[in-house]
Amino acid sequence: MPSTEGRGAGTVSETQRHIGMVDAHSARNYAPLPVVISHGRGAWVEDVEGHRYLDMLSAYSALNFGHGHPEIVAAFVQQAETLSLTSRAFHNDQFGPFCEEITKLAGQDLVLPMNTGAEAVETALKAARKWGEKVKGVPANQAEILVCEGNFHGRTITIVSFSDDPQYRDGFGPFTPGFKLVPYGDAAALEAAIGPNTVGFLVEPIQGEGGIVVPPAGYLKRAAEICRRNRVLFMADEIQTGLARTGRMFACDHEDVKPDVLVLGKALGGGMMPVSAVLASREVLGVFEPGDHGSTFGGNPLACAVARRALHVLVRDGLAERAASLGEQFMAKLRALNSPIVKEVRGRGLLIGIELVPSAGPAKAYAKKLKDEGMLCKDTVESVLRIAPPLVIEPADLDWAYERLARVLR
Ligand code: PXG
């Protein structure tokens, strides 16, 4: 029965019942906002009490197309009824078209499909190491990969091995060697850190989990040039920033940089499937031979059909241009808020961070208040609210969100 109480005031039974089951039976590796979502359409979701919320997080960029995009649902259902999985032991008739379409879109020679973002990052690291040994001529087991302070690339043992966030590492050692941290946004520091055994530089064009950190203008271009000059692979993790989120197809496009290795995930699955991919030149991805690497589900026909339709919608509907113009307007309004508790509004396209002043207290408290107002978003790092709505969001819905943000932040 729908609650008569307001959102958040209620702590109503159906919500409590679900959260109780989670608390009783799920590992506690998350601390979600207390809302139990049961339906979603476009930028809006509904909880088990019948309350509606505007989704201003989009599963951290995985829902660029919004919830239940009709064409992507149609592709999903049609393919699920036709052929869902073959493994890579055999070919399937969706994989070839997927490879052709995504390599063309990204301007790269080859693609290697995986499922989650972390798997694609691992794949990129393996490619860089093997390229280092077999092509660049680095001695066996000596390859070094440079990564950035404040990075987030996923949760595997190897990936947390080079995180500088203590919580991501605490208790999970021993760690994988072969990585070196350099300051984010500092091209000179990158150049100074390169040694004879450096094979790659892995970077987020905008740090998402690090707090929506936009590097200084020209950084990506300079970093890519430094890498080229030193024969080091420039590897862009665009899992969160890619596929139109920042107002260009890829965030590296803002500086006309074509990465040597491009890592995609999240939105590639159309909000429906875990689909990730590594794209690179023939010289780099060509190092893999049959048996070197793989995944049961990577390149499956259901994933390929969904990703193909998602990419089609992305281009046809000009979602990058939409993110650019909606994001610019929204950020301008947020900056004009002149709230005493807002330190900075930053981002690109529809990837926006609102950094609060220290005296405001944790950003999570504001995410909770916004939830009570009917708007879902999430904190990232202690002091930053992350705003990343579906790219299909209506301008009127953004106006609606602005009113809630103004009320809560003033
Ligand atoms: N690279 C970047 C830049 C990311 O933001 C990953 C890699 C890993 O993707 P997978 O699909 O393995 O999660 C991310 C993920 C979470 C969480 O719940 C993850 C992300 C953002 C917010 C929360 O672990 N980004």
Side-chain angles (χ1 to χ4, degrees):
M1 203 168 64
S3 157
T4 50
E5 294 171 276
R7 292 179 188 92
T11 57
V12 197
S13 62
E14 195 55 6
T15 296
Q16 277 311 328
R17 198 173 67 80
H18 281 274
I19 293 176
M21 285 190 279
V22 174
D23 286 348
H25 305 293
S26 158
R28 292 252 185 158
N29 56 329
Y30 281 94
L33 290 179
V35 54
V36 181
I37 298 169
S38 56
H39 292 79
R41 237 327 154 255
W44 290 87
V45 296
E46 195 180 306
D47 75 4
V48 288
E49 315 281 348
H51 297 129
R52 290 183 83 221
Y53 300 86
L54 185 61
D55 183 352
M56 293 287 280
L57 182 67
S58 351
Y60 304 101
S61 289
L63 286 161
N64 282 3
F65 307 91
H67 296 266
H69 190 288
E71 286 172 82
I72 303 175
V73 170
F76 181 98
V77 170
Q78 205 269 327
Q79 189 62 41
E81 286 173 346
T82 309
L83 179 74
S84 58
L85 186 62
T86 54
S87 83
R88 295 287 305 276
F90 316 113
H91 290 275
N92 72 71
D93 71 353
Q94 292 298 312
F95 184 54
F98 166 75
C99 294
E100 186 172 282
E101 288 159 20
I102 196 170
T103 51
K104 204 167 178 185
L105 181 80
Q108 299 280 356
D109 295 338
L110 303 178
V111 62
L112 197 161
M114 298 294 283
N115 312 284
T116 65
E119 285 176 315
V121 170
E122 289 270 351
T123 302
L125 298 172
K126 285 173 81 172
R129 282 183 169 187
K130 190 150 190 187
W131 172 86
E133 266 191 45
K134 307 293 176 189
V135 180
K136 185 171 175 174
V138 169
N141 305 315
Q142 298 299 313
E144 186 173 80
I145 293 174
L146 303 177
V147 295
C148 291
E149 291 171 4
N151 74 70
F152 185 90
H153 298 285
R155 306 290 200 161
T156 65
I157 297 265
T158 288
I159 293 171
V160 300
S161 292
F162 55 79
S163 171
D164 60 358
D165 184 321
Q167 194 196 353
Y168 294 160
R169 293 162 51 94
D170 182 37
F172 299 127
F175 298 109
T176 308
F179 300 95
K180 194 159 133 189
L181 284 161
V182 298
Y184 186 62
D186 184 341
L190 166 66
E191 180 136 45
I194 292 174
N197 295 337
T198 308
V199 298
F201 170 54
L202 176 66
V203 65
E204 297 158 85
I206 293 175
Q207 285 187 334
E209 299 322 289
I212 318 294
V213 183
V214 184
Y219 170 66
L220 297 174
K221 196 160 192 74
R222 273 202 294 283
E225 274 162 16
I226 289 164
C227 286
R228 186 164 351 104
R229 219 180 322 114
N230 290 279
R231 226 176 160 216
V232 166
L233 299 177
F234 180 87
M235 307 160 72
D237 178 345
E238 294 239 24
I239 287 167
Q240 191 163 152
T241 55
L243 305 175
R245 170 56 56 187
T246 70
R248 300 291 298 266
M249 186 55 74
F250 306 108
C252 283
D253 293 348
H254 288 288
E255 297 196 358
D256 290 320
V257 167
K258 185 179 139 188
D260 298 309
V261 178
L262 172 67
V263 189
L264 299 178
K266 292 193 194 279
L268 187 55
M272 244 158 264
M273 298 278 294
V275 188
S276 64
V278 178
L279 294 124
S281 65
R282 197 168 295 279
E283 178 182 302
V284 175
L285 276 182
V287 299
F288 286 116
E289 286 170 21
D292 279 1
H293 187 59
S295 156
T296 304
F297 288 94
N300 73 74
L302 186 52
C304 289
V306 166
R308 290 179 66 202
R309 188 64 61 93
L311 295 177
H312 175 76
V313 170
L314 197 63
V315 173
R316 184 201 62 197
D317 293 353
L319 291 187
E321 294 76 16
R322 190 181 172 91
S325 70
L326 290 179
E328 201 173 304
Q329 291 163 36
F330 196 61
M331 246 186 296
K333 278 176 81 172
L334 287 175
R335 288 193 175 116
L337 236 179
N338 272 328
S339 156
I341 62 164
V342 173
K343 185 172 164 201
E344 189 186 26
V345 175
R346 56 179 181 249
R348 244 180 168 156
L350 284 171
L351 183 58
I352 300 170
I354 304 175
E355 180 165 2
L356 306 179
V357 297
S359 61
K364 185 160 189 181
Y366 296 87
K368 279 197 180 123
K369 283 185 202 162
L370 286 161
K371 183 210 80 136
D372 295 342
E373 295 272 345
M375 179 189 134
L376 298 181
C377 67
K378 193 85 167 81
D379 49 301
T380 170
V381 302
E382 188 56 16
S383 58
V384 179
L385 269 182
R386 176 215 312 260
I387 307 288
L391 310 184
V392 299
I393 193 168
E394 293 299 334
D397 289 338
L398 278 176
D399 292 343
W400 189 92
Y402 170 78
E403 283 164 30
R404 269 74 203 160
L405 279 160
R407 195 142 67 211
V408 167
L409 295 177
R410 266 201 192 116

PDB file of all heavy atoms in Angstrom, residues 55-64 67 245 376 388-391:
ATOM      1  N   ASP A  55      16.522  10.089 -11.169  1.00  0.00           N
ATOM      2  CA  ASP A  55      17.821   9.421 -11.047  1.00  0.00           C
ATOM      3  C   ASP A  55      18.917  10.345 -11.581  1.00  0.00           C
ATOM      4  O   ASP A  55      19.097  10.469 -12.789  1.00  0.00           O
ATOM      5  CB  ASP A  55      17.797   8.100 -11.827  1.00  0.00           C
ATOM      6  CG  ASP A  55      19.098   7.320 -11.690  1.00  0.00           C
ATOM      7  OD1 ASP A  55      20.067   7.867 -11.126  1.00  0.00           O
ATOM      8  OD2 ASP A  55      19.138   6.160 -12.145  1.00  0.00           O
ATOM      9  N   MET A  56      19.614  11.000 -10.675  1.00  0.00           N
ATOM     10  CA  MET A  56      20.689  11.920 -11.086  1.00  0.00           C
ATOM     11  C   MET A  56      22.062  11.268 -10.877  1.00  0.00           C
ATOM     12  O   MET A  56      23.064  11.946 -10.733  1.00  0.00           O
ATOM     13  CB  MET A  56      20.587  13.231 -10.300  1.00  0.00           C
ATOM     14  CG  MET A  56      19.346  14.046 -10.639  1.00  0.00           C
ATOM     15  SD  MET A  56      19.453  14.840 -12.279  1.00  0.00           S
ATOM     16  CE  MET A  56      20.485  16.261 -11.880  1.00  0.00           C
ATOM     17  N   LEU A  57      22.099   9.953 -10.900  1.00  0.00           N
ATOM     18  CA  LEU A  57      23.362   9.217 -10.762  1.00  0.00           C
ATOM     19  C   LEU A  57      23.595   8.291 -11.948  1.00  0.00           C
ATOM     20  O   LEU A  57      24.724   8.098 -12.377  1.00  0.00           O
ATOM     21  CB  LEU A  57      23.352   8.399  -9.457  1.00  0.00           C
ATOM     22  CG  LEU A  57      24.621   7.613  -9.165  1.00  0.00           C
ATOM     23  CD1 LEU A  57      25.781   8.557  -8.877  1.00  0.00           C
ATOM     24  CD2 LEU A  57      24.431   6.659  -8.001  1.00  0.00           C
ATOM     25  N   SER A  58      22.540   7.746 -12.492  1.00  0.00           N
ATOM     26  CA  SER A  58      22.586   6.818 -13.634  1.00  0.00           C
ATOM     27  C   SER A  58      23.594   5.699 -13.455  1.00  0.00           C
ATOM     28  O   SER A  58      24.368   5.425 -14.364  1.00  0.00           O
ATOM     29  CB  SER A  58      22.892   7.477 -14.963  1.00  0.00           C
ATOM     30  OG  SER A  58      22.899   8.823 -14.991  1.00  0.00           O
ATOM     31  N   ALA A  59      23.561   5.059 -12.288  1.00  0.00           N
ATOM     32  CA  ALA A  59      24.467   3.933 -12.054  1.00  0.00           C
ATOM     33  C   ALA A  59      25.896   4.305 -12.443  1.00  0.00           C
ATOM     34  O   ALA A  59      26.600   3.548 -13.119  1.00  0.00           O
ATOM     35  CB  ALA A  59      23.999   2.665 -12.789  1.00  0.00           C
ATOM     36  N   TYR A  60      26.304   5.481 -11.997  1.00  0.00           N
ATOM     37  CA  TYR A  60      27.678   5.953 -12.239  1.00  0.00           C
ATOM     38  C   TYR A  60      28.034   5.961 -13.725  1.00  0.00           C
ATOM     39  O   TYR A  60      29.113   5.517 -14.099  1.00  0.00           O
ATOM     40  CB  TYR A  60      28.683   5.096 -11.471  1.00  0.00           C
ATOM     41  CG  TYR A  60      28.432   5.019  -9.990  1.00  0.00           C
ATOM     42  CD1 TYR A  60      27.822   3.900  -9.440  1.00  0.00           C
ATOM     43  CD2 TYR A  60      28.796   6.058  -9.147  1.00  0.00           C
ATOM     44  CE1 TYR A  60      27.583   3.815  -8.067  1.00  0.00           C
ATOM     45  CE2 TYR A  60      28.562   5.983  -7.779  1.00  0.00           C
ATOM     46  CZ  TYR A  60      27.949   4.860  -7.248  1.00  0.00           C
ATOM     47  OH  TYR A  60      27.718   4.775  -5.907  1.00  0.00           O
ATOM     48  N   SER A  61      27.116   6.400 -14.549  1.00  0.00           N
ATOM     49  CA  SER A  61      27.323   6.534 -16.009  1.00  0.00           C
ATOM     50  C   SER A  61      26.934   5.295 -16.807  1.00  0.00           C
ATOM     51  O   SER A  61      27.029   5.306 -18.032  1.00  0.00           O
ATOM     52  CB  SER A  61      28.765   6.899 -16.407  1.00  0.00           C
ATOM     53  OG  SER A  61      29.060   8.220 -16.044  1.00  0.00           O
ATOM     54  N   ALA A  62      26.500   4.238 -16.136  1.00  0.00           N
ATOM     55  CA  ALA A  62      26.129   3.041 -16.898  1.00  0.00           C
ATOM     56  C   ALA A  62      24.750   3.197 -17.541  1.00  0.00           C
ATOM     57  O   ALA A  62      24.407   2.479 -18.480  1.00  0.00           O
ATOM     58  CB  ALA A  62      26.155   1.812 -15.993  1.00  0.00           C
ATOM     59  N   LEU A  63      23.958   4.154 -17.032  1.00  0.00           N
ATOM     60  CA  LEU A  63      22.607   4.365 -17.564  1.00  0.00           C
ATOM     61  C   LEU A  63      22.549   5.638 -18.402  1.00  0.00           C
ATOM     62  O   LEU A  63      21.616   6.432 -18.268  1.00  0.00           O
ATOM     63  CB  LEU A  63      21.601   4.440 -16.409  1.00  0.00           C
ATOM     64  CG  LEU A  63      21.262   3.110 -15.714  1.00  0.00           C
ATOM     65  CD1 LEU A  63      20.654   3.350 -14.345  1.00  0.00           C
ATOM     66  CD2 LEU A  63      20.321   2.275 -16.584  1.00  0.00           C
ATOM     67  N   ASN A  64      23.523   5.829 -19.270  1.00  0.00           N
ATOM     68  CA  ASN A  64      23.517   7.026 -20.130  1.00  0.00           C
ATOM     69  C   ASN A  64      22.226   7.137 -20.938  1.00  0.00           C
ATOM     70  O   ASN A  64      21.788   8.236 -21.270  1.00  0.00           O
ATOM     71  CB  ASN A  64      24.715   7.003 -21.092  1.00  0.00           C
ATOM     72  CG  ASN A  64      26.003   7.423 -20.395  1.00  0.00           C
ATOM     73  OD1 ASN A  64      26.006   7.680 -19.195  1.00  0.00           O
ATOM     74  ND2 ASN A  64      27.081   7.490 -21.145  1.00  0.00           N
ATOM     75  N   HIS A  67      16.677   4.523 -17.972  1.00  0.00           N
ATOM     76  CA  HIS A  67      16.134   3.204 -17.648  1.00  0.00           C
ATOM     77  C   HIS A  67      15.220   2.740 -18.780  1.00  0.00           C
ATOM     78  O   HIS A  67      14.401   3.503 -19.283  1.00  0.00           O
ATOM     79  CB  HIS A  67      15.337   3.267 -16.345  1.00  0.00           C
ATOM     80  CG  HIS A  67      16.182   3.613 -15.153  1.00  0.00           C
ATOM     81  ND1 HIS A  67      16.744   2.656 -14.339  1.00  0.00           N
ATOM     82  CD2 HIS A  67      16.594   4.810 -14.670  1.00  0.00           C
ATOM     83  CE1 HIS A  67      17.453   3.250 -13.383  1.00  0.00           C
ATOM     84  NE2 HIS A  67      17.372   4.565 -13.562  1.00  0.00           N
ATOM     85  N   ARG A 245      29.292  10.884 -22.173  1.00  0.00           N
ATOM     86  CA  ARG A 245      29.037  11.432 -20.835  1.00  0.00           C
ATOM     87  C   ARG A 245      29.537  12.880 -20.677  1.00  0.00           C
ATOM     88  O   ARG A 245      28.872  13.716 -20.086  1.00  0.00           O
ATOM     89  CB  ARG A 245      29.694  10.506 -19.795  1.00  0.00           C
ATOM     90  CG  ARG A 245      29.768  10.989 -18.365  1.00  0.00           C
ATOM     91  CD  ARG A 245      28.464  11.364 -17.726  1.00  0.00           C
ATOM     92  NE  ARG A 245      27.447  10.335 -17.725  1.00  0.00           N
ATOM     93  CZ  ARG A 245      26.177  10.537 -17.322  1.00  0.00           C
ATOM     94  NH1 ARG A 245      25.793  11.730 -16.888  1.00  0.00           N
ATOM     95  NH2 ARG A 245      25.301   9.572 -17.387  1.00  0.00           N
ATOM     96  N   LEU A 376      17.776  11.406  -6.605  1.00  0.00           N
ATOM     97  CA  LEU A 376      18.818  10.464  -6.212  1.00  0.00           C
ATOM     98  C   LEU A 376      20.165  10.877  -6.774  1.00  0.00           C
ATOM     99  O   LEU A 376      20.312  11.094  -7.986  1.00  0.00           O
ATOM    100  CB  LEU A 376      18.466   9.057  -6.701  1.00  0.00           C
ATOM    101  CG  LEU A 376      17.177   8.441  -6.142  1.00  0.00           C
ATOM    102  CD1 LEU A 376      16.979   7.042  -6.711  1.00  0.00           C
ATOM    103  CD2 LEU A 376      17.192   8.408  -4.614  1.00  0.00           C
ATOM    104  N   ALA A 388      25.225  12.964 -12.180  1.00  0.00           N
ATOM    105  CA  ALA A 388      25.460  12.348 -13.491  1.00  0.00           C
ATOM    106  C   ALA A 388      24.150  11.743 -14.003  1.00  0.00           C
ATOM    107  O   ALA A 388      23.980  10.529 -14.000  1.00  0.00           O
ATOM    108  CB  ALA A 388      26.551  11.280 -13.381  1.00  0.00           C
ATOM    109  N   PRO A 389      23.216  12.583 -14.431  1.00  0.00           N
ATOM    110  CA  PRO A 389      21.917  12.062 -14.874  1.00  0.00           C
ATOM    111  C   PRO A 389      22.031  11.308 -16.200  1.00  0.00           C
ATOM    112  O   PRO A 389      23.030  11.451 -16.904  1.00  0.00           O
ATOM    113  CB  PRO A 389      21.078  13.327 -15.063  1.00  0.00           C
ATOM    114  CG  PRO A 389      22.071  14.401 -15.349  1.00  0.00           C
ATOM    115  CD  PRO A 389      23.314  14.040 -14.587  1.00  0.00           C
ATOM    116  N   PRO A 390      21.012  10.536 -16.549  1.00  0.00           N
ATOM    117  CA  PRO A 390      20.998   9.937 -17.880  1.00  0.00           C
ATOM    118  C   PRO A 390      21.108  11.046 -18.939  1.00  0.00           C
ATOM    119  O   PRO A 390      20.573  12.145 -18.735  1.00  0.00           O
ATOM    120  CB  PRO A 390      19.626   9.262 -17.963  1.00  0.00           C
ATOM    121  CG  PRO A 390      19.202   9.049 -16.549  1.00  0.00           C
ATOM    122  CD  PRO A 390      19.816  10.172 -15.764  1.00  0.00           C
ATOM    123  N   LEU A 391      21.771  10.751 -20.045  1.00  0.00           N
ATOM    124  CA  LEU A 391      21.968  11.794 -21.070  1.00  0.00           C
ATOM    125  C   LEU A 391      20.662  12.103 -21.799  1.00  0.00           C
ATOM    126  O   LEU A 391      20.563  13.118 -22.488  1.00  0.00           O
ATOM    127  CB  LEU A 391      23.043  11.346 -22.077  1.00  0.00           C
ATOM    128  CG  LEU A 391      24.355  10.849 -21.461  1.00  0.00           C
ATOM    129  CD1 LEU A 391      25.365  10.522 -22.556  1.00  0.00           C
ATOM    130  CD2 LEU A 391      24.939  11.849 -20.476  1.00  0.00           C
TER     131      LEU A 391
END
